[in-house]
Amino acid sequence: MSDILKRADGRFESCNEHGEPNVETSLKHSIDQMVINWHVNETCNYRCVYCYTKWERPPSVRDVIRQPENTANLLRSLWAFFDPANLKNPLKDTLTWRRVRLNFAGGEPLLCRADLIRAVELAAQIGFDVSIITNGSRLDSETMSALAPHLDWLGVSLDAADMRTNKAIGREDRRSRQLDPEALRDSVATARSNNPDLKLKINTVVSSQNHEADLTRVIARLSPHKWKILRALPMTTTAGMVTDEQFRAFVHRHRSLTDTIRVEDNADMLKSYLMIEPKGRFFQNHNDTLKEGYRYSRPILDVGPGAALESAGFSAFGFANRYR
Ligand code: SF4
């Protein structure tokens, strides 16, 4: 049994039930990249059955991304805290990293296109590696040309290539428009012509609607650097869940793409990334159990990233352990 204590100097320490520091505390773990997921909005033009991007929030508070000055303040404070050169970061006792990537997610982040482009530009300028994850519905060539030069990764979610499955999942807008993989190929080509170093990642959530699909051909044609296969899990809804066997069968069916595939439970993601919701609070799931709903920090803009992490009961030691 161990606890996390905050020391007088503000650093975090793990100790046993006698209050003695645990031996593991002194063992630093190194990772290449710290990833921060900022879910800039909750609004989306799709309605995926398994969607877990729903946050409790006071309606009177506007999304930070809609406020340019607050966006700039948030980005600068995050960088000051997570800058690999900031040796005062309390996480440094247990974890070191060389780079920090800010991933802009949603909702659908491109529904606030102008604000997103401004934030992406500023984040890259400040020093973050930058990525976005989008449902691909708003990736026109003008948007791609504006975003691509500042991105390290373009992430697109794609669960099915046929209209019936996409409809069953809820991956279409109010006018029944769906992501066309061929149109996505064109958008990716535009992005790559603006930034030859840009890496493409496709995210696929395996759910009860698509677990029998074969996406080998469509993924091969998109030629992503990474194809992340995730699993619908009960974060804020139990809809779309699949059995272990169905999930394994989906991964096995696509074994010809093994070099590109990364299999990740959503639970892994929730435990391994720092996550910020649209109002600027860190959030995480409840301990290791998949209870419904999230646990929130105080607003980062009010108290700063360090105090916000602390108010969320964030454990540096536990966080470092997730990378072990
Ligand atoms: S595209 Fe993403 S944010 Fe939109 S409904 Fe689907 S899972 Fe949710």
Side-chain angles (χ1 to χ4, degrees):
M1 180 75 185
S2 66
D3 289 312
I4 304 295
L5 289 185
K6 190 177 182 214
R7 301 189 324 211
D9 61 4
R11 292 173 180 265
F12 294 93
E13 189 167 81
S14 165
C15 65
N16 64 22
E17 65 265 41
H18 306 298
E20 299 157 347
N22 280 332
V23 176
E24 303 96 301
T25 313
S26 61
L27 300 176
K28 277 195 186 181
H29 188 65
S30 291
I31 56 172
D32 183 52
Q33 194 176 53
M34 171 75 78
V35 180
I36 305 169
N37 265 327
W38 179 17
H39 295 264
V40 297
N41 62 356
E42 186 175 310
T43 314
C44 187
N45 50 342
Y46 287 177
R47 287 171 297 283
C48 303
V49 288
Y50 54 74
C51 185
Y52 60 83
T53 58
K54 312 252 184 299
W55 298 277
E56 293 159 21
R57 51 197 193 145
S60 55
V61 183
R62 290 173 68 207
D63 291 348
V64 173
I65 192 75
R66 295 293 189 185
Q67 307 166 66
E69 199 178 325
N70 281 343
T71 294
N73 289 339
L74 180 68
L75 295 182
R76 291 202 175 96
S77 71
L78 287 172
W79 180 257
F81 187 72
F82 290 106
D83 179 352
N86 175 20
L87 300 178
K88 289 185 181 160
N89 187 315
L91 299 180
K92 290 276 179 180
D93 278 355
T94 46
L95 190 65
T96 60
W97 56 93
R98 293 195 309 115
R99 304 197 323 272
V100 186
R101 175 158 60 89
L102 185 61
N103 182 47
F104 290 87
E108 172 43 49
L110 280 167
L111 292 186
C112 42
R113 180 183 178 279
D115 294 315
L116 181 77
I117 292 172
R118 192 185 309 113
V120 162
E121 278 177 12
L122 180 59
Q125 194 185 319
I126 287 173
F128 291 99
D129 291 348
V130 182
S131 58
I132 66 165
I133 178 75
T134 166
N135 63 26
S137 60
R138 301 290 173 104
L139 285 181
D140 55 74
S141 61
E142 196 184 336
T143 301
M144 277 291 60
S145 303
L147 279 174
H150 311 288
L151 295 179
D152 296 276
W153 284 89
L154 169 65
V156 183
S157 55
L158 187 153
D159 291 358
D162 66 285
M163 295 196 72
R164 211 167 63 169
T165 309
N166 273 325
K167 188 175 194 58
I169 298 170
R171 296 188 68 82
E172 62 178 19
D173 67 14
R174 286 181 198 282
R175 291 163 65 186
S176 301
R177 288 176 300 195
Q178 302 184 357
L179 178 63
D180 170 10
E182 287 307 309
L184 176 58
R185 272 188 83 208
D186 293 344
S187 301
V188 171
T190 304
R192 283 175 171 155
S193 70
N194 281 277
N195 177 359
D197 295 329
L198 180 75
K199 295 185 273 298
L200 173 68
K201 180 179 72 163
I202 302 292
N203 279 6
T204 297
V205 175
V206 182
S207 64
S208 51
Q209 284 74 21
N210 71 344
H211 69 91
E212 292 181 329
D214 187 343
L215 299 180
T216 306
R217 191 171 159 275
V218 68
I219 297 294
R221 277 176 68 74
L222 285 166
S223 183
H225 291 76
K226 196 191 287 185
W227 181 25
K228 191 146 90 175
I229 302 180
L230 305 108
R231 176 176 177 174
L233 282 175
M235 300 302 172
T236 58
T237 172
T238 54
M241 286 174 65
V242 288
T243 64
D244 290 348
E245 195 179 324
Q246 289 167 332
F247 185 66
R248 273 199 298 267
F250 184 94
V251 174
H252 184 70
R253 193 174 312 124
H254 297 94
R255 59 193 176 283
S256 63
L257 299 171
T258 296
D259 288 350
T260 326
I261 289 176
R262 302 285 180 281
V263 177
E264 187 175 292
D265 264 357
N266 282 348
D268 294 336
M269 186 197 82
L270 282 174
K271 286 191 280 182
S272 311
Y273 297 163
L274 285 165
M275 299 180 298
I276 301 171
E277 52 79 60
K279 307 298 181 197
R281 299 170 297 177
F282 289 112
F283 71 98
Q284 57 179 330
N285 60 335
H286 287 268
N287 300 320
D288 285 335
T289 52
L290 293 172
K291 283 165 69 173
E292 290 203 347
Y294 299 118
R295 182 174 175 180
Y296 299 93
S297 76
R298 293 173 67 195
I300 298 168
L301 282 170
D302 288 356
V303 298
L309 280 176
E310 199 185 326
S311 73
F314 183 85
S315 149
F317 184 69
F319 183 73
N321 259 340
R322 292 166 189 168
Y323 286 93
R324 289 182 200 276

